[in-house]
Amino acid sequence: EAGVTQSPTHLIKTRGQQATLRCSPISGHTSVYWYQQALGLGLQFLLWYDEGEERNRGNFPPRFSGRQFPNYSSELNVNALELEDSALYLCASSPAGRGKETQYFGPGTRLLVL
Amino acid sequence: AQSVTQPDIHITVSEGASLELRCNYSYGATPYLFWYVQSPGQGLQLLLKYFSGDTLVQGIKGFEAEFKRSQSSFNLRKPSVHWSDAAEYFCAVRKNTGFQKLVFGTGTRLLVSP
């Protein structure tokens, strides 16, 4: 069974640009979560999508947004990039129903903002 | 609000020696508890989890953890460490009802000496 996949693995942008990060959940999983792992700030919850809807977001500005597609894959968009957005962005997925309590993580996308 | 404390930022253990990584949490009820491991430049891999029942849980790679309600702790242990265990270890909690955000500790970096 394939795990959570994320693309690209690395992304370099300049300040003010937009970044798009992609995530494919484990087959059969309907929930997707995004986390940011920035140096010195630890792992912080960004967004949760379930059945195509945004269910909750963490304490991040609106320029962090995303969506979930009918096949349950997800996109994270970061607009008007700032230097402090440089981080590892991790996507996780969980199934509906039995097992929904556990999140399985992908390898991450490392975003560097210059 | 939930919080997780991992008091040890770094731990160095000799190969073959035993290991214990500490985790304390703050939450009004017994949350769901997890340990994840992150190798350099990688995503998070689930080691083990505790929801209820037997307070000693077994995980992958020979790890185990013990939930102690009276101490609000969920310490991770391994009887004999291998060089490949060198990584960063994260304890995480989430509510046992409602919204499913994971709250992570700051991590403990494990170094294994020959």
Side-chain angles (χ1 to χ4, degrees), chain A residues 33 35 37 43 45 48 56 88 90 94 100-107 110, chain B residues 32 34 36 38 41-44 46 49 51 88 90 94 99-102 104:
Chain A
Y33 311 80
Y35 291 83
Q37 188 177 26
L43 280 149
F45 166 74
W48 170 32
N56 210 299
L88 181 67
L90 293 166
S94 68
K100 65 181 179 182
E101 305 85 359
T102 304
Q103 296 178 22
Y104 299 89
F105 284 81
R110 189 164 295 280
Chain B
Y32 293 150
F34 305 84
Y36 287 88
Q38 185 177 37
Q42 303 298 310
L44 300 175
L46 178 68
K49 57 190 176 184
F51 296 159
E88 189 149 23
F90 292 92
R94 57 147 285 193
F99 173 49
Q100 306 169 30
K101 175 181 75 172
L102 282 173
F104 287 89

Side-chain angles (χ1 to χ4, degrees), chain A residues 45-58:
Chain A
F45 166 74
L46 253 171
L47 289 159
W48 170 32
Y49 291 94
D50 182 58
E51 295 286 356
E53 300 286 331
E54 181 182 303
R55 301 297 184 181
N56 210 299
R57 66 183 294 127

Side-chain angles (χ1 to χ4, degrees), chain A:
Chain A
E1 178 183 274
V4 177
T5 60
Q6 293 186 244
S7 63
T9 55
H10 293 81
L11 192 56
I12 301 175
K13 294 285 185 179
T14 57
R15 198 169 50 181
Q17 286 188 313
Q18 179 196 39
T20 299
L21 289 63
R22 296 179 177 83
C23 171
S24 291
I26 293 171
S27 178
H29 286 194
T30 60
S31 279
V32 169
Y33 311 80
W34 288 95
Y35 291 83
Q36 182 196 65
Q37 188 177 26
L39 206 60
L41 295 177
L43 280 149
Q44 297 186 77
F45 166 74
L46 253 171
L47 289 159
W48 170 32
Y49 291 94
D50 182 58
E51 295 286 356
E53 300 286 331
E54 181 182 303
R55 301 297 184 181
N56 210 299
R57 66 183 294 127
N59 188 26
F60 283 84
R63 58 190 186 82
F64 286 84
S65 65
R67 52 181 172 167
Q68 186 178 32
F69 299 99
N71 66 353
Y72 303 112
S73 67
S74 177
E75 225 173 56
L76 174 68
N77 295 294
V78 188
N79 294 318
L81 284 165
E82 300 179 1
L83 297 178
E84 53 264 34
D85 296 333
S86 295
L88 181 67
Y89 289 84
L90 293 166
C91 172
S93 72
S94 68
R98 183 181 176 85
K100 65 181 179 182
E101 305 85 359
T102 304
Q103 296 178 22
Y104 299 89
F105 284 81
T109 292
R110 189 164 295 280
L111 173 64
L112 178 61
V113 182
L114 303 174

Side-chain angles (χ1 to χ4, degrees), chain B:
Chain B
Q2 307 159 77
S3 66
V4 180
T5 301
Q6 292 181 250
D8 303 306
I9 298 174
H10 295 100
I11 282 186
T12 300
V13 175
S14 299
E15 190 167 16
S18 64
L19 168 70
E20 182 169 26
L21 301 182
R22 295 182 291 166
C23 172
N24 292 92
Y25 66 89
S26 173
Y27 181 52
T30 299
Y32 293 150
L33 297 155
F34 305 84
W35 275 99
Y36 287 88
V37 61
Q38 185 177 37
S39 298
Q42 303 298 310
L44 300 175
Q45 181 181 25
L46 178 68
L47 285 175
L48 45 78
K49 57 190 176 184
Y50 174 80
F51 296 159
S52 65
D54 192 347
T55 57
L56 185 63
V57 293
Q58 303 297 320
I60 62 171
K61 303 185 178 186
F63 285 93
E64 65 178 26
E66 186 172 13
F67 168 63
K68 293 185 177 180
R69 184 190 307 273
S70 61
Q71 298 176 20
S72 296
S73 69
F74 188 56
N75 293 349
L76 181 71
R77 301 194 294 246
K78 187 170 184 177
S80 177
V81 167
H82 188 262
W83 64 266
S84 59
D85 293 325
E88 189 149 23
Y89 292 79
F90 292 92
C91 181
V93 305
R94 57 147 285 193
K95 292 181 184 179
N96 56 21
T97 59
F99 173 49
Q100 306 169 30
K101 175 181 75 172
L102 282 173
V103 175
F104 287 89
T106 50
T108 297
R109 183 166 296 279
L110 174 64
L111 305 173
V112 181
S113 61

